[in-house]
Amino acid sequence: MAGEPQDDCLFCKIVEGHVPATIVRETESTVAFRDINPQAPVHILVIPKVHYANAAALATAEPTVAADVLREAQAVADEEKLESYRLVFNTGPGAGQTVFHAHAHILGGRGMQWPPG
Ligand code: 5GP
Ligand code: ZN
């Protein structure tokens, strides 16, 4: 489902201000906030305000907002002065997705290995 805030969705609650978060940027269509369990010195999530279960659903249904998420990821990286960073969309439980509201992870401030775990 997309569109209406989902009662059981943590990130919809952050968008609505019902769950606190350290918000670093906000636009008409997106919110960026610090991850509660950072995996790098900089670990920020960018989400669309509208609920989509994952990045694939977002890109199909709202490509303009999907582009907004990518643009905001770069804006966050600029603000955090990250020359290099990793942009991750875990998509599906097998890839480590635990919150089923589309989000981009911006990870930076340390060296990164490839392949990822
Ligand atoms: P996923 O595993 O779905 O790709 O990423 C979900 C992310 O949300 C995880 O990195 C997790 O640490 C973060 N997270 C979970 N609960 C909260 C919360 O209440 N607040 C914030 N700021 N991040 C959260
Ligand atoms: Zn949601």
Side-chain angles (χ1 to χ4, degrees):
M1 277 297 295
E4 291 302 307
Q6 306 287 294
D7 288 343
D8 57 349
C9 176
L10 175 64
F11 287 177
C12 283
K13 292 190 174 103
I14 288 177
V15 170
E16 294 177 302
H18 296 160
V19 166
T22 304
I23 292 173
V24 297
R25 288 182 62 85
E26 184 167 1
T27 68
E28 200 174 314
S29 61
T30 66
V31 183
F33 53 92
R34 295 196 187 276
D35 197 291
I36 204 166
N37 182 24
Q39 301 302 310
V42 176
H43 188 173
I44 292 169
L45 305 175
V46 182
I47 68 171
K49 287 183 174 174
V50 173
H51 180 93
Y52 285 94
N54 57 40
L58 169 66
T60 302
E62 285 205 35
T64 308
V65 179
D68 292 345
V69 169
L70 293 181
R71 200 175 305 108
E72 276 300 291
Q74 181 59 51
V76 165
D78 288 344
E79 279 194 4
E80 297 289 327
K81 301 192 173 10
L82 299 176
E83 280 182 24
S84 302
Y85 61 91
R86 188 161 290 173
L87 188 61
V88 175
F89 292 89
N90 293 325
T91 305
Q97 188 177 5
T98 58
V99 177
F100 292 88
H101 178 131
H103 53 280
H105 295 256
I106 299 147
L107 295 147
R110 66 165 169 82
M112 299 278 166
Q113 305 298 313
W114 195 264

